[in-house]
Amino acid sequence: MKRIISRKRIREFWEQRFPNSEQALKAWYAEAKGANWQSPTDIKAQYRNASILKGGRVVFNICGNKYRLVVAIDYEASIVLIRFVGTHKEYDAIDAGTI
């Protein structure tokens, strides 16, 4: 993808809350930055456990499913917007389709 907005959100997550997530989030970021996702099918081919939601939303499992990362993707513009990063419990309290 050409742009990922905003790396700051995931960086703050590992710096301020869960340092053990740093390597997994950095790896996801690098993979997403270099990806050429044209559709949800491309994401599922790379991340079998990703959940594809309505409205271009995708949920990624991070750190062996300890954390969840929700993004909104504009495939045509090659933009990934980070909407949420948190624990499973925090994820269960949000509506991933509208966040």
Side-chain angles (χ1 to χ4, degrees), residues 9-27:
R9 180 173 273 171
I10 60 174
R11 188 184 71 239
E12 287 175 349
F13 182 77
W14 81 63
E15 286 179 350
Q16 298 173 9
R17 299 184 59 208
F18 296 98
N20 67 322
S21 68
E22 180 177 0
Q23 292 309 313
L25 287 167
K26 282 182 174 179

Side-chain angles (χ1 to χ4, degrees), residues 15-64:
E15 286 179 350
Q16 298 173 9
R17 299 184 59 208
F18 296 98
N20 67 322
S21 68
E22 180 177 0
Q23 292 309 313
L25 287 167
K26 282 182 174 179
W28 175 88
Y29 184 87
E31 290 169 6
K33 189 82 171 159
N36 186 25
W37 297 326
Q38 300 295 311
S39 70
T41 304
D42 295 335
I43 293 173
K44 287 299 274 186
Q46 186 173 357
Y47 295 97
R48 288 184 349 197
N49 293 325
S51 298
I52 307 298
L53 308 178
K54 294 182 216 173
R57 298 282 202 279
V58 181
V59 181
F60 294 94
N61 298 319
I62 303 295
C63 263

Side-chain angles (χ1 to χ4, degrees), residues 74-94:
D74 181 333
Y75 296 98
E76 286 186 28
S78 296
I79 296 173
V80 175
L81 178 61
I82 296 170
R83 304 296 301 156
F84 169 86
V85 60
T87 65
H88 254 281
K89 185 176 182 179
E90 292 166 338
Y91 173 81
D92 289 342
I94 65 162

